[in-house]
Amino acid sequence: MKKTGYYGEWGGAFIPEVLYETFEELNAAFTQVKKDPSFWQEYVSLMSTYSCRPTPLTFAENLSDHFGGARIFIKREDLNHTGAHKANNVMGQGLLVKKMGKKRVIAETGAGQHGVATATMAAKFGLECTIYMGEEDVMRQRPNVFWMEKLGATVVPVTSGSKTLKDAINEAFRDWVTRMEDTHYVMGTVCGPHPFPEMVAWFQSIIGKEARTQIMEQFGKLPSRVYACVGGGSNAMGVFQGFLDEKTVELIGVEAGGKGLDSGQHAARLAGKDASAGVAQGYKTMFLQNDDGQMMDTHSVAAGLDYVGVSPILTDLWKSGRVRFAAATDREVMEALDLTMKKEGIIPALESTHAFVQAFKEAGDMNRDEALIINMSGRGDKDIFTIAHAFDDPSWKAFITQKGAEYAS
Ligand SMILES: *Cc1c(COP(=O)(O)O)cnc(C)c1O
């Protein structure tokens, strides 16, 4: 018999006993709305009036001609309110919280993007909101902290441990245990204990549903390949679900290769060799950890991909061979970002650009009567300082300038 909340051997719900009842309540509420078509209708209507859905599917004609192979289409999740696909998840959970009658939401955030999205949702729905954030991250992500507070949220700097994301996760769970009756924990991605992976994947499936309809309208047939970057895996699961049942459509997840897969400074769980199976943060997946189960320090130029775990759903799809995994290095990301800006007038987030890197490597070898879709999870405005710094770095400047000349010719 299939155990609930498992994808193959991955997933589950490893939670403290005090949370059993809260999880049962959440499971019941989610199960009910999932089979109620009017809830999905309400969700779609909210997203079309508050967050620009359906987001466009853009034909990238210049990039397609540049590589001379597959026709490249970009799914524009950057045009969501707050600038990324995260809006889909938080607004969906907001509707669910309203149904459950809870008055307060909490979340943890690393780079701050999920914190801003959650604070936005809380303002819209009239909920009290507390965001846990490592003290290190509070200092590094000043603009996001500013907006969370202006949106009415309380930001709690976490000073324990390494003062980053994993400590913030522990602190948020501690809060939840003390205030379960009126509080919902807004999980940011398709990770954590069941039912979070299933729930977040369900809300994000709106991306794939739209993309499938749009590519049929614009191209007349299914794409050969669909690319998405993978942090926790929510934007990838979102777009992949539109094509999972079509065996002719290849699905490619792209992780953070950081300074290279052999450098020890990356966040490639499934594309690299450094991860192993483990249970942490309430679920079982492949974690970047040492032999003692101690989590490793990860690195990526894109803060949103810098995470030790990965969705149990994706780990299962990787094991079964349905989803192929690749990694893009920081340097490859800057190069692809430069090309995309110059050719299409589009500024993808550094996270999203990882998917562009792999698509660019493969597009030229595909036929002109094939299409590929890149899921552009978010916009790059937030990355302005990182991008400016990278393009100013003397060792990269020569590299980018030389590439610029190549693109112009
Ligand atoms: C948070 C974020 C990601 C990573 O999250 P997933 O759950 O893997 O989608 C990717 N892109 C952007 C723009 C983000 O803000």
Side-chain angles (χ1 to χ4, degrees):
M1 204 184 87
K2 186 176 169 287
K3 286 184 287 182
T4 52
Y6 277 86
Y7 306 89
E9 62 173 289
W10 313 97
F14 299 82
I15 51 173
E17 209 171 319
V18 283
L19 282 173
Y20 282 3
E21 212 175 303
T22 301
F23 269 81
E24 223 144 80
E25 182 191 14
L26 183 60
N27 264 311
F30 174 58
T31 308
Q32 199 186 353
V33 299
K34 197 174 176 183
K35 59 179 189 229
D36 175 5
S38 74
F39 181 87
W40 185 262
Q41 222 32 65
E42 190 183 353
Y43 170 62
V44 171
S45 154
L46 171 69
M47 294 311 287
S48 64
T49 54
Y50 192 63
S51 185
C52 225
R53 300 217 75 93
T55 58
L57 182 72
T58 301
F59 174 41
E61 190 172 8
N62 300 331
L63 282 171
S64 302
D65 289 344
H66 178 77
F67 291 105
R71 306 292 88 190
I72 298 173
F73 290 82
I74 303 174
K75 180 61 173 162
R76 301 292 304 280
E77 290 304 296
D78 58 308
L79 296 176
N80 273 296
H81 184 37
T82 71
H85 69 294
K86 287 188 167 71
N88 306 328
N89 172 40
V90 296
M91 297 312 290
Q93 290 196 49
L95 281 180
L96 186 63
V97 167
K98 279 300 213 190
K99 290 254 181 298
M100 290 192 295
K102 300 212 169 183
K103 302 272 181 290
R104 177 174 178 260
V105 288
I106 57 172
E108 91 289 336
T109 192
Q113 295 301 115
H114 177 56
V116 171
T118 303
T120 301
M121 175 272 277
K124 167 81 175 155
F125 286 121
L127 303 166
E128 199 191 316
C129 178
T130 301
I131 304 292
Y132 289 91
M133 197 168 180
E135 197 178 41
E136 281 292 319
D137 293 329
V138 168
M139 285 185 296
R140 283 191 292 212
Q141 308 291 340
R142 196 62 222 157
N144 282 334
V145 174
F146 176 85
W147 286 126
M148 281 182 252
E149 291 179 343
K150 288 293 167 237
L151 287 159
T154 304
V155 179
V156 179
V158 176
T159 54
S160 56
S162 58
K163 303 174 186 174
T164 57
L165 181 63
K166 57 182 186 294
D167 313 290
I169 293 175
N170 293 337
E171 212 51 48
F173 266 100
R174 227 164 276 155
D175 174 311
W176 204 14
V177 168
T178 61
R179 292 201 48 183
M180 293 172 290
E181 338 67 64
D182 72 341
T183 299
H184 173 73
Y185 184 150
V186 184
M187 182 65 64
T189 188
V190 277
C191 293
H194 176 74
F196 283 117
E198 183 186 337
M199 182 196 301
V200 178
W202 188 59
F203 288 128
Q204 294 292 4
S205 70
I206 196 168
I207 305 173
K209 286 194 172 89
E210 288 174 8
R212 185 180 178 127
T213 306
Q214 289 166 324
I215 195 78
M216 294 310 289
E217 277 168 12
Q218 293 182 35
F219 192 67
K221 62 178 185 182
L222 290 168
S224 300
R225 298 179 196 177
V226 178
Y227 299 82
C229 67
V230 178
S234 68
N235 86 86
M237 277 310 301
V239 71
F240 289 170
Q241 282 172 99
F243 307 94
L244 259 182
D245 57 351
E246 296 288 349
K247 294 289 177 269
T248 60
V249 182
E250 205 182 342
L251 307 173
I252 301 101
V254 189
E255 297 179 298
K259 297 188 173 156
L261 292 188
D262 299 325
S263 68
Q265 295 187 62
H266 61 78
R269 291 90 8 134
L270 302 178
K273 291 190 171 62
D274 295 341
S276 54
V279 174
Q281 296 166 7
Y283 70 112
K284 180 178 179 184
T285 196
M286 296 288 285
F287 286 99
L288 285 166
Q289 56 188 344
N290 67 18
D291 294 342
D292 301 329
Q294 195 80 1
M295 293 301 153
M296 287 167 39
D297 284 332
T298 51
H299 164 82
S300 172
V301 71
L305 303 187
D306 199 351
Y307 177 52
V308 288
V310 64
S311 175
I313 311 177
L314 283 173
T315 301
D316 184 48
L317 291 168
W318 165 70
K319 277 278 176 191
S320 71
R322 182 65 188 93
V323 177
R324 165 159 69 89
F325 278 81
T329 64
D330 293 351
R331 191 182 180 116
E332 289 172 328
V333 163
M334 300 313 302
E335 188 188 342
L337 176 66
D338 192 45
L339 181 65
T340 304
M341 291 193 289
K342 301 238 159 61
K343 287 285 181 195
E344 297 291 343
I346 285 173
I347 309 175
L350 288 172
E351 289 84 359
S352 321
T353 311
H354 285 68
F356 286 69
V357 168
Q358 192 60 28
F360 291 175
K361 283 180 187 169
E362 301 179 12
D365 293 330
M366 296 168 68
N367 293 322
R368 292 179 64 93
D369 65 354
E370 290 180 278
L372 66 79
I373 295 177
I374 303 170
N375 196 40
M376 180 165 156
S377 53
R379 63 178 186 224
D381 307 43
K382 68 180 175 61
D383 299 317
I384 183 165
F385 300 114
T386 313
I387 294 169
H389 177 76
F391 284 174
D392 258 336
D393 187 312
S395 68
W396 291 25
K397 208 174 198 172
F399 180 69
I400 297 290
T401 310
Q402 177 213 334
K403 286 288 169 188
E406 278 174 31
Y407 303 155
S409 64

